[in-house]
């Protein structure tokens, strides 16, 4: 089932009608899997293929929402092809290029009791949703975050593997989530936690909008845990092996980090010290290995991006550093 493309969000009344119709058909909890996409049709197809065969054990139903942040609707054909699947899918467009606005568009079009997020460059294991759902119920929490592991279709250079720049920590199941580690690449949470007024994701964040969301939710008393079992894989194509890509991503992260309340005098002081110290250490790291050099250079750009933004300099002008 394919819902026609639209940039306008359904009204609260329309959402209630849709929810009532669904509840009339089934008493099972429903999960809306939200995907924000931008000019990645082949990766989106791989993701949808993985979502089309999720196990439910008759514990819940699920559907998919694709929010295309490309005004040219580059994801439309892929969604239309998937529409013949038994899994309902809705396609909407957020023409204004901004990841927070795209997330808000996806949430506005979601109909579930639960909302799951997965990125368009990822793909899940077959029991992904079921494992997240079971963990949320077992621990009686508001949401569950799972690990994201890198996936290389081609063997990367040795320095990439040794640097672990694409690796993320895997936390033990049941570990409470701290907002600094939170993200939307692999998460399920109860729809009821969303604020009654206003949009959940703040558009002033060009990156880190998910951390900001979880920070506000945790500060309001919501509880989230990690689960090590529901794994998704992030595709790391050769374009992302480029040093320029890694450094631009770091500069963007740093520039948006200044918006977090944790960016106080101590954080600024650390960056002021780190930039000259890391710069001086770079030649020594190069002698010790290119992987160590690049790891330090990425950290340097994180700090540098923050300081440049504090001085009113925008180091990265584009909304996305995608490739």
């Amino acid at each position: 089932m394919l819902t026609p493309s639209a940039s306008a969000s359904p009204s609260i009344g329309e959402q209630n009608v849709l929810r009532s119709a669904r509840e009339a058909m089934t008493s099972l909890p429903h999960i809306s899997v939200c995907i924000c996409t931008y000019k990645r049709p082949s990766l989106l197809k791989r993701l949808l293929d993985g979502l089309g065969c999720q196990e439910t054990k008759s514990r819940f139903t699920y559907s998919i929402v694709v929010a295309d942040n490309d005004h040219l609707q580059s994801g439309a054909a892929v969604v239309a092809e998937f529409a013949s699947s038994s899994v309902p899918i809705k396609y909407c467009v957020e023409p204004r290029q901004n990841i927070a606005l795209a997330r808000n568009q996806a949430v506005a079009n979601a109909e579930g009791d639960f909302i799951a997020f997965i990125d368009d460059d990822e793909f899940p294991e077959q029991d992904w949703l079921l494992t997240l759902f079971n963990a949320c119920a077992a621990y009686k929490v508001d949401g569950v975050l799972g690990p994201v592991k890198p996936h290389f279709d081609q063997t990367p250079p040795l320095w990439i593997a040794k640097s672990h720049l694409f690796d993320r920590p895997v936390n033990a199941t049941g570990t409470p989530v701290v907002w600094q580690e939170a993200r939307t690449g692999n998460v399920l949470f109860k729809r009821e936690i969303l604020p009654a007024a206003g949009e959940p994701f703040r558009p002033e964040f060009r990156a880190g909008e998910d951390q900001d969301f979880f920070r506000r939710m945790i500060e309001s008393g919501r509880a989230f845990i990690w689960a090590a079992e529901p794994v998704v894989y992030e595709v790391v194509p050769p374009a992302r092996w480029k040093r320029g890509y890694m450094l631009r991503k770091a500069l963007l992260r740093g520039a948006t980090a200044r918006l977090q309340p944790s960016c106080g005098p101590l954080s600024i002081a650390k960056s002021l010290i780190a930039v000259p110290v890391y710069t001086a250490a770079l030649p020594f790291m190069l002698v010790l290995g290119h992987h160590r050099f690049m790891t330090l250079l990425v950290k340097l750009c994180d700090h540098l991006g923050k300081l440049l933004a504090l001085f009113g300099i925008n180091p990265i002008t584009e909304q996305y550093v995608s490739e």
Side-chain angles (χ1 to χ4, degrees):
M1 160 182 170
L2 174 64
T3 300
S5 168
S7 58
S9 304
S11 67
I12 297 297
E14 290 172 332
Q15 291 183 46
N16 289 338
V17 169
L18 289 169
R19 193 172 296 113
S20 297
R22 176 178 54 75
E23 289 172 352
M25 292 184 292
T26 177
S27 59
L28 294 176
H30 187 79
I31 301 173
S32 285
V33 181
C34 293
I35 305 163
C36 298
T37 190
Y38 179 71
K39 295 185 177 181
R40 291 171 173 166
S42 60
L43 292 177
L44 178 61
K45 183 180 186 308
R46 179 187 289 194
L47 169 56
L48 291 178
D49 288 343
L51 291 176
C53 56
Q54 287 290 296
E55 294 179 3
T56 67
K57 302 294 185 183
S58 299
R59 297 206 60 196
F60 58 85
T61 59
Y62 73 99
S63 59
I64 301 170
V65 177
V66 176
D68 199 337
N69 207 196
D70 178 14
H71 71 281
L72 298 176
Q73 303 184 22
S74 54
V78 175
V79 175
E81 181 182 351
F82 181 83
S84 59
S85 163
S86 61
V87 180
I89 188 167
K90 179 184 291 187
Y91 179 77
C92 56
V93 177
E94 173 49 72
R96 297 166 294 176
Q97 197 175 94
N98 180 286
I99 183 57
L101 292 177
R103 293 202 191 285
N104 290 335
Q105 185 69 243
V107 168
N109 281 275
E111 302 166 12
D113 309 287
F114 292 83
I115 290 175
F117 267 105
I118 186 170
D119 291 343
D120 66 345
D121 57 354
E122 298 172 349
F123 61 93
E125 295 186 337
Q126 193 170 359
D127 61 350
W128 169 63
L129 270 183
L130 179 62
T131 310
L132 283 173
F133 182 83
N134 287 343
C136 193
Y139 284 85
K140 297 180 172 59
V141 289
D142 295 298
V144 179
L145 284 77
V148 177
K149 298 183 179 182
H151 173 85
F152 299 93
D153 287 324
Q154 302 177 42
T155 304
L158 182 59
W159 73 265
I160 293 279
K162 292 175 70 175
S163 71
H164 301 289
L165 283 168
F166 294 100
D167 293 344
R168 307 186 196 188
V170 178
N171 296 294
T173 299
T175 304
V177 172
V178 295
W179 70 263
Q180 292 89 342
E181 293 184 348
R183 43 182 157 69
T184 47
N186 180 0
V187 64
L188 172 81
F189 59 82
K190 296 176 181 176
R191 183 191 183 93
E192 66 187 40
I193 75 170
L194 295 176
E199 295 180 316
F201 296 94
R202 299 200 293 171
E204 56 265 39
F205 284 85
R206 295 187 296 150
E209 78 295 334
D210 42 5
Q211 286 185 332
D212 172 68
F213 168 77
F214 283 106
R215 177 186 62 78
R216 289 181 283 115
M217 294 299 102
I218 291 170
E219 289 177 354
S220 70
R222 299 299 184 176
F224 304 90
I225 62 157
W226 290 100
E229 297 79 15
V231 176
V232 304
Y233 298 92
E234 179 184 28
V235 180
V236 186
R240 295 190 189 177
W241 306 348
K242 296 178 181 178
R243 297 159 185 83
Y245 166 81
M246 299 178 191
L247 301 184
R248 287 185 293 125
K249 286 281 285 189
L251 286 169
L252 180 59
R253 279 196 307 269
T256 55
R258 69 178 176 85
L259 298 173
Q260 298 287 7
S262 57
C263 186
L266 181 59
S267 176
I268 296 169
K270 286 181 178 179
S271 293
L272 286 169
I273 295 170
V275 167
V277 170
Y278 288 0
T279 301
L282 283 175
F284 301 97
M285 291 297 104
L286 189 57
V287 172
L288 294 174
H290 190 66
H291 62 292
R292 290 191 173 92
F293 173 82
M294 280 303 302
T295 300
L296 187 64
L297 187 56
V298 167
K299 292 179 180 179
L300 170 61
C301 286
D302 273 303
H303 288 287
L304 184 59
K306 182 197 303 180
L307 294 178
L308 289 173
L310 287 169
F311 284 103
I313 301 171
N314 184 4
I316 303 295
T317 57
E318 61 263 44
Q319 282 288 334
Y320 293 125
V321 178
S322 55
E323 301 295 348

